[in-house]
Amino acid sequence: MTSATSSSGSAALASRSRAATADELAGIPWLGRLDAVERERVLADLRVVQVEAGEYVCRIGRPVSYWFGLIDGLLKMSNDSALGMPITFTGVPPGGWFGEGTVIKREPYRYNIEALRRSHVAGIGADTFHWLLDRSIGFNRFVMLQLNERLGQFIGAREIDRLTDPDERVARSLASLFHPTLYPGVGEVLHITQQELGYLVGLSRQRVNEALRALQARGLIRVEYGGVRVLALDGLRGFRAGG
């Protein structure tokens, strides 16, 4: 697991890790697809680490060593501003597993994964990931579905990046975080602050607040204490300002 400040960051985070609790294991969407032998290997390998706001789980150019999933908290996937115009590809809410394409190819990361708040991240080693691919049909189906949905997500992210209307950007970005396949842990309520949503969308907290009020007035969402409840997901996905 990778740190923002140390070239041996993978070992640094691993040294802070612990075994998953029963509740955390129950929230892993692919674990139930495994047979007894496969599950035993995963339980022996799977670790959970707490990362603080601003800490990196993955960094561009670092070698891949784990396949990650978010237990709780909020992460941001982005490029490196040193490489040009910074772009946020997506947020990662609870229940999301990510980076499978990088693990399959065993290539260095082409993106950063940063914690926007204190988060708990799970991971299995790349060798265990490939071992599961070699023997588990259920795991393969899960990973193929992930890859297919991720492709659609990134096509959508490019479309969002070209939107100029702030309300539309917020609507589409929220909709992408309420993805039942990629982020099954979210449900109907996403626990996110307006500041965190601003980091993901590239807008100020004040402008995000205006957009949320506009979406709420349309009956698409309801802003609740500490989060946002989706009322009409298809409406968010197809939202047009002034429509």
Side-chain angles (χ1 to χ4, degrees):
M1 298 184 179
T2 311
S3 165
T5 58
S6 171
S7 61
S8 58
S10 182
L13 280 189
S15 69
R16 292 156 38 191
S17 67
R18 57 168 174 79
T21 67
D23 285 345
E24 290 168 341
L25 292 174
I28 296 177
W30 48 269
L31 201 56
R33 298 171 178 253
L34 308 182
D35 65 25
V37 173
E38 294 157 358
R39 184 181 175 91
E40 181 179 3
R41 170 152 178 175
V42 167
L43 294 183
D45 187 51
L46 189 143
R47 305 294 293 174
V48 176
V49 66
Q50 177 176 293
V51 293
E52 301 299 328
E55 190 170 7
Y56 286 85
V57 179
C58 311
R59 285 298 296 261
I60 291 174
R62 300 287 176 82
V64 64
S65 50
Y66 289 86
W67 183 46
F68 293 109
L70 183 61
I71 301 297
D72 61 63
L74 184 66
L75 307 176
K76 179 179 76 169
M77 178 184 290
S78 64
N79 71 348
D80 196 324
S81 59
L83 302 178
M85 181 70 69
I87 297 174
T88 296
F89 299 121
T90 185
V92 182
W97 285 75
F98 54 91
E100 53 278 342
T102 304
V103 183
I104 288 172
K105 292 182 286 186
R106 293 185 184 268
E107 66 178 14
Y109 289 108
R110 297 183 179 182
Y111 49 82
N112 297 321
I113 298 287
E114 178 186 358
L116 293 182
R117 72 169 81 121
R118 177 177 290 178
S119 303
H120 290 90
V121 179
I124 61 171
D127 289 341
T128 295
F129 178 91
H130 279 270
W131 181 82
L132 288 172
L133 285 182
D134 288 340
R135 64 166 285 145
S136 172
I137 294 176
F139 186 75
N140 270 272
R141 286 176 174 166
F142 178 85
V143 171
M144 284 192 296
L145 182 59
Q146 285 275 114
L147 290 169
N148 184 58
E149 295 293 338
R150 189 84 65 200
L151 176 61
Q153 182 188 49
F154 282 125
I155 291 173
R158 291 297 297 159
E159 293 174 346
I160 292 171
D161 192 52
R162 294 174 180 176
L163 293 174
T164 57
D165 183 84
D167 292 354
E168 292 182 10
R169 289 176 66 89
V170 171
R172 303 292 184 82
S173 296
L174 271 178
S176 72
L177 296 174
F178 284 95
H179 195 300
T181 300
L182 292 176
Y183 310 128
V186 173
E188 294 182 350
V189 179
L190 175 66
H191 297 287
I192 190 170
T193 68
Q194 294 178 10
Q195 186 67 65
E196 289 167 342
L197 185 55
Y199 290 146
L200 296 178
V201 183
L203 297 170
S204 69
R205 185 194 63 78
Q206 292 81 2
R207 189 59 188 84
V208 166
N209 178 268
E210 292 179 27
L212 292 177
R213 283 188 283 143
L215 297 175
Q216 183 168 256
R218 295 276 194 95
L220 302 177
I221 64 169
R222 184 166 65 239
V223 179
E224 301 183 353
Y225 179 76
V228 176
R229 179 181 296 273
V230 64
L231 302 177
L233 184 55
D234 287 341
L236 277 181
R237 289 172 175 159
F239 176 81
R240 291 288 188 274

